[in-house]
């Protein structure tokens, strides 16, 4: 058994490519679990970070510092009455959230957490991701239509127009990154997610800094388009709270609503993964060439453990800052336990066999987490665009810039 | 009853070759952005607004009718419930109207206290406006900043008269309460605290590209239309009319103070935003002057225990945070007013909504409702 696991861990290819159905299934389960945990954590983090930006505390009651709040929310949503409007188209109403959730989770099949840490590696990986994630607009339109109500309909129309227009700019930015992968001896590029990261490794530069500033501009176009693509502030018109109450999911409640919520957050993680893979070197650690050598390798390999130890330390500082009243005893113990668990994970990450293997996943997740933080930051800072302005930004700014960058990248690739 | 949407029929030139139907959307009375229980029926062509119709009365409490069954003193707390975010201004207007009817005048110290509290209330009202207006346009953070700072004003009110929102701070003939120990110091401390904060709000919005795009040229109204519709307050001033009752017909102690009346030019949402921000600064100036010069002396004029104004009628108006707040009181010589008619700024300003949002987009309706700064308690009374 152990040998079997070890043989897998030492393999040099993804389970999907190796045709190993068992490990592929394990991977799918792991990703599903990890994604659910990430969405829960994201829920808590968003509320907390946003709260602190807005001079308030955020959830504080359920668990220490509101740590159990997402779980309480999830339970509330599950036991809530499931309402379907009497005038709604029942089947479409039922199937819409399922489509949205399935598309949001399916894209993770090709997300490379490491050179071997992906369910599979498709030779059309990027195309697959863009294609599947844009299918979610179908679910949104269905949800808005089936609700048979004005606000959701408008939300759905806005959403479809927005997603379709921003996908073009997004695609152009992606193509310019794909072009960069072809700068090798054979002159052939790749659409495979793993291949793209490997070509960044081979060219010794993250594509965001390739052909400065061309890569950076393409990255910027993608970074703007992906916010619009996921319907987040300042492009959150389809669910503009103050205009359309909740947009396409106004009529949804309980579990169905939570599926939309789940899909929105996993879509955010998915597009961030694309951005990280295409421009920020995927699983590669920062400065692999500038700070190379075995000493730096060891230093960087210690960082995951140190990060978790720091998180644990923050939790333990929180323990001492808890009110001393006996009423808070359970919460204090809980927070201490949480800190200890984080610290233990940190210590575990220092063990050499784990340390070597966790690197890729850690750097990938850290980069994605950076994007997640940006999402929250945008939400705390920007007002919302109006619909015509949104279209203007998409068609008159991002699209020409995307085409320009694409052409210039091609020229630069030929000349340099 | 006629269908309230009857005049919202599609005009011939508005029809497209697709022959698509217009969409009639009912916004409110339960809607996050209508500031209470305003119901707006929107006729839309896609996202474009073809017409609106406001349905009001969901918060009607018959305040004016109640007045006919209460004595002058008893009615005083009711006026606080109209514009509940600027209760002090309501009370000020009512008390001054009855004083005019009685032909008495509040002592100077009472007038100064009134000015300080009314200007603090103007600040509080504008802060609430800014927070909710920005929230409507999608910026969620300013709301919390303004509420944090508004809290300090409410604390001063609470210390002065025991209530935070519906203050009932003034009485006919002056003030009931002397300022508390350390009132001047606390107000001064508040001024120091809040002056940089206004810059903080502006930092988030004034030069923010999205904010400027969302507000410039949105909900434009000309000075002529403003005057024709009777629109007053910051909305009128943003259209370029320098009309502020504090300057034009000074009441309370406003003649003693040196302050500017900020005006805008284009009368769009952005100008109204700038005008209100500047008004907050001017309010701070007035408070600073008043707190330095506050005279000693009595705070209550000699007013009979039973208020029985002579037969007659009076119209008196003040500059409330939202515009001209007027009271028309008819006295038949008894202890109860024969008729009280309130001229609420929110109600009159709301009339401009349809004019301001025609041919604009749905999102602009929200922005315009926010920029008109209406309080439904005052619209419906």
């Amino acid at each position: 058994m152990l040998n079997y696991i070890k043989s897998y861990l030492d393999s040099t290819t993804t389970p999907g490519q190796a045709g190993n159905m068992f490990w592929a299934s394990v991977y799918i389960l792991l990703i599903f679990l990890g994604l659910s945990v990430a969405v829960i954590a994201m829920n808590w983090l968003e509320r907390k970070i946003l709260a602190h930006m807005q001079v308030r505390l955020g959830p504080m009651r359920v668990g220490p510092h509101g740590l159990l709040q997402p779980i309480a929310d999830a339970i509330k949503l599950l036991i809530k009455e499931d309402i379907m409007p009497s005038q709604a188209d029942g089947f479409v109403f039922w199937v819409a959230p399922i489509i949205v959730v399935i598309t949001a989770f399916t894209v993770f099949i090709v997300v490379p957490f490491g050179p071997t840490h992906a369910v599979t590696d498709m030779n059309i990986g990027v195309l697959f991701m863009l294609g599947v994630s844009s299918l979610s607009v179908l679910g949104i339109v269905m949800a808005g239509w089936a609700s048979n109500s004005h606000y959701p309909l408008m939300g759905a129309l806005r959403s479809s127009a927005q997603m379709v227009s921003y996908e073009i700019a997004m695609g152009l930015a992606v193509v310019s990154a794909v072009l960069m992968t072809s700068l090798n001896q054979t002159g052939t590029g790749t659409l495979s997610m793993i291949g793209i990261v490997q070509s960044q490794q081979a060219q010794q530069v993250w594509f965001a800094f390739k052909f400065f500033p061309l890569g950076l501009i393409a990255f910027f176009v993608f970074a703007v388009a992906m916010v619009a693509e996921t319907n987040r502030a300042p492009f959150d018109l389809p669910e503009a709270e103050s205009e359309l109450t909740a947009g396409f999911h106004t009529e949804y409640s309980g579990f169905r609503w939570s599926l939309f919520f789940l899909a929105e957050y996993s879509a955010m993680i998915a597009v961030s993964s694309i951005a990280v893979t295409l421009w920020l070197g995927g699983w590669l650690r920062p400065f692999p060439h500038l700070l190379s050598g075995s000493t730096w390798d060891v230093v960087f390999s210690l960082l995951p453990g140190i990060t978790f130890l720091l998180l644990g330390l923050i939790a333990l500082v929180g323990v001492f800052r808890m009110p001393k009243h006996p009423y808070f005893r359970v919460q204090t113990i809980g927070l201490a336990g949480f800190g200890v668990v984080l610290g233990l994970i940190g210590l575990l990450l220092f063990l050499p066999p784990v340390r070597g293997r966790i690197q890729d996943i850690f750097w990938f997740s850290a980069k994605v987490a950076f994007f997640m933080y940006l999402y929250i930051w945008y939400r705390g800072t920007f007002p919302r665009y109006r619909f015509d302005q949104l279209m203007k930004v998409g068609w008159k700014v991002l699209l020409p810039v995307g085409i320009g960058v694409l052409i210039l990248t091609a020229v630069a690739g030929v000349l340099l | 009853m006629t269908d309230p949407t009857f005049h919202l029929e599609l005009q011939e030139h508005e029809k497209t070759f697709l022959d698509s139907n217009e969409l009639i959307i009912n916004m409110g009375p339960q809607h996050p952005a209508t500031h209470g229980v305003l119901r707006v029926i929107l006729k839309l062509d896609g996202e474009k607004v073809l017409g609106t119709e406001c349905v009001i009365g969901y918060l009607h409490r018959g305040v004016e009718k109640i007045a006919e069954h209460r004595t002058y003193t008893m009615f005083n707390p009711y006026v606080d419930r109209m514009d509940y975010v600027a209760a002090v201004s309501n009370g000020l207007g009512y008390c001054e109207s009855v004083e005019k009817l009685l032909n008495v005048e509040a002592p100077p110290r009472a007038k100064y206290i009134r000015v300080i509290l009314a200007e603090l209330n103007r600040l509080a009202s504008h802060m609430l406006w800014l927070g909710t207006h920005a929230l409507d346009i999608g910026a969620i953070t300013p709301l919390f900043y303004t509420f944090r700072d508004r809290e300090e004003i409410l604390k001063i009110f609470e210390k002065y008269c025991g209530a935070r929102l519906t203050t009932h701070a003034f009485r006919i003939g002056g003030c009931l309460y002397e300022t508390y120990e350390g009132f001047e110091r606390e107000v001064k401390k508040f001024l120091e605290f809040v002056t940089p904060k206004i810059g903080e709000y502006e930092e988030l919005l004034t030069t923010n590209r999205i904010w400027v795009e969302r507000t410039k040229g949105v909900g434009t109204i000309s000075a002529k239309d403003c005057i024709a519709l009777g629109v007053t307050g910051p909305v009128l001033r943003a259209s370029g009319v320098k009309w502020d009752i504090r300057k034009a017909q000074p009441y309370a102690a406003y003649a003693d103070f040196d302050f500017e009346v900020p005006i805008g030019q284009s009368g769009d949402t952005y100008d109204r935003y700038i005008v209100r921000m500047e008004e907050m600064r001017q309010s701070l100036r007035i408070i600073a002057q008043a707190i330095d010069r506050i005279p000693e002396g009595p705070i209550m004029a000699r007013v009979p225990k039973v208020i029985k104004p002579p037969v007659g009628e009076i119209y008196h108006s003040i500059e409330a945070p939202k515009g001209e707040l007027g009271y028309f009181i008819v006295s038949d010589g008894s202890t109860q007013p024969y008729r009280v008619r309130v001229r609420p700024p929110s109600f009159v300003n709301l009339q401009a909504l349809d004019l301001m949002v025609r041919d604009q987009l749905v999102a602009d309706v929200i922005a315009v409702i926010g920029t008109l700064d209406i309080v439904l308690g005052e619209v419906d009374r």
Side-chain angles (χ1 to χ4, degrees):
Chain A
M1 179 70 186
L2 268 176
N3 282 337
Y4 181 65
I5 293 175
K6 196 161 165 13
S7 76
Y8 164 69
L9 285 176
D10 292 337
S11 79
T12 53
T13 172
T14 57
Q17 280 168 301
N20 193 332
M21 283 308 285
F22 173 70
W23 276 112
S25 314
V26 170
Y27 245 92
I28 288 172
L29 274 180
L30 277 178
I31 285 178
F32 188 75
L33 265 179
L35 211 57
S36 305
V37 172
V39 169
I40 287 175
M42 185 64 194
N43 180 11
W44 181 80
L45 279 171
E46 172 157 24
R47 292 171 72 168
K48 277 311 235 197
I49 294 172
L50 209 54
H52 284 258
M53 283 176 182
Q54 296 169 342
V55 290
R56 59 195 173 94
L57 289 171
M60 285 299 277
R61 293 300 177 93
V62 190
H65 290 264
L67 273 169
L68 300 178
Q69 184 71 45
I71 296 167
D73 283 350
I75 293 170
K76 182 208 75 172
L77 285 170
L78 286 177
I79 61 177
K80 219 174 157 179
E81 186 189 355
D82 185 27
I83 301 166
M84 187 187 285
S86 57
Q87 299 290 308
D89 184 329
F91 176 71
V92 182
F93 192 83
W94 175 80
V95 88
I98 297 176
I99 290 182
V100 175
V101 156
I102 287 178
T103 54
F105 277 101
T106 308
V107 290
F108 282 92
I109 287 178
V110 292
V111 171
F113 294 91
T116 59
H117 303 308
V119 177
T120 187
D121 182 30
M122 284 187 205
N123 54 2
I124 51 156
V126 179
L127 206 59
F128 175 81
M129 267 195 103
L130 288 180
V132 174
S133 66
S134 59
L135 270 182
S136 70
V137 71
L138 186 67
I140 287 175
V141 171
M142 283 165 84
W145 176 255
S147 299
N148 201 357
S149 171
H150 285 152
Y151 286 114
L153 182 64
M154 283 183 68
L157 287 176
R158 282 181 174 191
S159 179
S160 50
Q162 173 177 341
M163 286 170 119
V164 168
S165 12
Y166 274 79
E167 241 148 44
I168 300 169
M170 203 171 180
L172 286 172
V174 167
V175 171
S176 73
V178 171
L179 269 189
M180 289 174 184
T181 61
S182 65
L183 297 169
N184 49 24
Q185 273 84 26
T186 55
T188 48
T190 174
L191 281 168
S192 138
M193 297 287 270
I194 289 179
I196 288 169
V197 180
Q198 277 165 347
S199 70
Q200 297 184 47
Q201 197 167 17
Q203 296 181 27
Q204 307 199 350
V205 64
W206 291 0
F207 283 159
F209 305 108
K210 182 106 181 161
F211 298 142
F212 185 82
L214 287 182
L216 215 53
I217 296 172
F219 171 58
F220 173 76
V221 169
F222 188 90
V224 174
M226 80 185 202
V227 180
E229 180 79 10
T230 46
N231 299 334
R232 291 280 301 185
F235 304 107
D236 56 344
L237 288 108
E239 42 201 275
E241 195 188 326
S242 53
E243 293 157 33
L244 304 178
T245 56
F248 59 85
H249 55 59
T250 304
E251 300 287 356
Y252 282 83
S253 64
F255 187 63
R256 290 175 216 268
W257 180 84
S258 67
L259 288 182
F260 280 116
F261 182 83
L262 196 66
E264 180 183 328
Y265 279 79
S266 38
M268 279 157 65
I269 298 175
V271 285
S272 304
S273 311
I274 306 183
V276 166
T277 310
L278 261 59
W279 282 281
L280 296 186
W283 64 81
L284 305 175
R285 73 169 170 82
F287 310 115
H289 302 287
L290 198 65
L291 306 177
S292 58
S294 56
T295 329
W296 281 112
D297 280 346
V298 172
V299 169
F300 274 99
S301 72
L302 292 178
L303 278 178
I306 291 171
T307 310
F308 272 89
L309 276 185
L310 266 178
L311 289 176
L313 199 69
I314 292 170
L316 289 178
V317 169
V319 168
F320 288 105
R321 292 181 58 196
M322 280 296 246
K324 297 291 176 281
H325 193 273
Y327 177 79
F328 293 98
R329 191 181 294 145
V330 178
Q331 296 217 345
T332 313
I333 294 169
L335 191 59
F338 187 66
V340 168
V341 168
L342 283 176
L344 283 179
I345 294 175
L347 289 179
L348 187 73
L349 296 184
F350 282 127
L351 295 176
V354 182
R355 200 168 77 195
R357 294 197 169 95
I358 207 74
Q359 279 272 312
D360 317 321
I361 299 173
F362 173 78
W363 286 115
F364 189 86
S365 313
K367 288 169 187 173
V368 171
F370 166 71
F371 277 98
M372 293 291 117
Y373 182 76
L374 280 186
Y375 270 118
I376 301 170
W377 198 357
Y378 294 155
R379 198 178 155 198
T381 314
F382 292 129
R384 186 180 302 116
Y385 267 111
R386 205 172 56 200
F387 197 67
D388 56 329
Q389 292 160 352
L390 175 97
M391 285 294 148
K392 206 173 74 192
V393 172
W395 290 99
K396 291 190 181 166
V397 181
L398 290 185
L399 188 66
V401 170
I403 294 178
V405 166
L406 179 59
I407 294 170
L408 288 178
T409 309
V411 171
V414 172
L415 295 181
L416 303 177
Chain B
M1 199 187 136
T2 50
D3 176 15
T5 62
F6 69 96
H7 78 276
L8 299 174
E9 295 295 315
L10 210 60
Q11 299 294 311
E12 194 55 43
H13 67 275
E14 288 166 342
K15 284 185 181 153
T16 60
F17 71 96
L18 291 171
D19 196 28
S20 53
N21 287 329
E22 73 274 26
L23 187 68
I24 294 195
I25 278 197
N26 199 12
M27 191 189 258
Q30 303 295 332
H31 189 279
T34 54
H35 294 213
V37 285
L38 173 67
R39 177 173 162 217
V40 186
I41 302 166
L42 294 171
K43 189 173 75 165
L44 304 175
D45 175 15
E47 291 260 335
K48 205 175 101 185
V49 178
L50 298 178
T52 62
E53 165 120 10
C54 285
V55 182
I56 60 168
Y58 290 93
L59 203 59
H60 180 67
R61 292 149 298 174
V63 170
E64 289 174 3
K65 189 70 187 165
I66 290 173
E68 295 167 18
H69 299 276
R70 300 284 183 279
T71 64
Y72 287 93
T73 323
M74 281 162 78
F75 182 59
N76 198 355
Y78 282 93
V79 297
D80 288 353
R81 272 80 182 166
M82 291 191 306
D83 182 358
Y84 39 79
V85 296
V88 175
S89 300
N90 286 325
L92 176 64
Y94 176 71
C95 291
E96 287 212 329
S97 308
V98 180
E99 281 161 20
K100 257 190 156 177
L101 201 59
L102 278 171
N103 219 353
V104 295
E105 202 174 342
R109 184 173 171 81
K111 282 183 173 178
Y112 269 68
I113 294 174
R114 283 176 172 187
V115 166
I116 293 169
L117 292 184
E119 288 306 311
L120 282 173
N121 206 172
R122 185 184 311 278
L123 265 174
S125 170
H126 279 8
M127 279 174 177
L128 189 113
W129 156 79
L130 177 65
T132 50
H133 183 39
L135 182 72
D136 289 347
I137 292 187
I140 48 180
T141 307
L143 178 78
F144 295 97
Y145 288 3
T146 55
F147 267 62
R148 171 192 62 191
D149 305 336
R150 181 171 167 265
E151 193 63 25
E152 301 301 318
I153 300 175
L154 299 186
K155 273 183 197 159
I156 293 175
F157 287 167
E158 192 178 10
K159 265 189 154 178
Y160 175 72
C161 61
R164 288 155 48 87
L165 216 57
T166 47
T167 47
H168 193 202
F170 310 136
R171 298 296 188 274
I172 295 159
C175 307
L176 182 60
Y177 310 110
E178 184 48 81
T179 55
Y180 59 86
E181 188 66 39
F183 175 76
E184 281 92 345
R185 199 184 58 243
E186 271 189 26
V187 172
K188 272 184 185 163
K189 221 175 94 189
F190 168 74
L191 293 182
E192 270 169 41
F193 164 80
V194 86
T195 310
K197 298 287 193 245
I198 294 174
E200 206 172 277
Y201 313 148
E202 288 223 65
E203 212 170 289
L204 266 174
L205 299 172
T206 307
T207 52
N208 187 328
R209 262 192 70 124
I210 305 179
W211 177 263
V212 174
E213 276 184 36
R214 277 302 303 274
T215 52
K216 272 233 165 104
V218 169
T220 313
I221 186 163
S222 67
K224 206 172 134 239
D225 288 335
C226 275
I227 293 166
L229 286 165
V231 171
T232 48
V235 185
L236 176 68
R237 288 194 283 276
S239 298
V241 181
K242 205 162 188 166
W243 174 258
D244 187 323
I245 298 172
R246 290 177 294 177
K247 281 274 191 205
Q249 303 160 2
Y251 55 94
Y254 279 108
D256 300 355
F257 306 121
D258 172 33
F259 64 99
E260 304 287 321
V261 178
I263 57 166
Q265 282 145 16
S266 50
D268 59 6
T269 304
Y270 188 74
D271 272 18
R272 285 188 281 275
Y273 159 73
I274 294 290
V275 163
R276 286 203 177 94
M277 294 312 276
E278 192 51 39
E279 258 178 36
M280 285 164 80
R281 296 215 167 83
Q282 297 300 332
S283 288
L284 293 179
R285 266 180 77 189
I286 297 173
I287 299 168
Q289 293 170 39
I291 209 81
D292 280 339
R293 289 194 235 145
I294 187 163
E296 293 297 321
I299 52 165
M300 195 72 184
R302 291 181 62 82
V303 178
K305 275 252 159 57
V306 178
I307 292 172
K308 260 182 144 174
V311 180
E313 55 185 53
I314 189 85
Y315 177 78
H316 178 68
S317 62
I318 64 157
E319 185 72 24
K322 291 165 183 69
E324 177 183 345
L325 172 68
Y327 287 89
F328 178 68
I329 305 177
V330 182
S331 162
D332 56 359
S334 70
T335 56
Q336 295 166 350
Y338 179 74
R339 172 85 168 96
V340 172
R341 156 75 188 160
V342 186
R343 184 218 184 270
S346 298
F347 175 68
V348 180
N349 290 0
L350 185 60
Q351 290 183 99
L353 177 72
D354 187 56
L355 189 74
M356 286 158 89
V357 299
R358 285 245 166 163
D359 293 335
Q360 306 223 8
L361 302 176
V362 186
D364 295 336
V365 178
I366 308 296
V368 168
I369 291 176
T371 191
L372 281 175
D373 192 16
I374 51 164
V375 164
L376 266 297
E378 195 181 40
V379 172
D380 293 344
R381 280 160 287 139

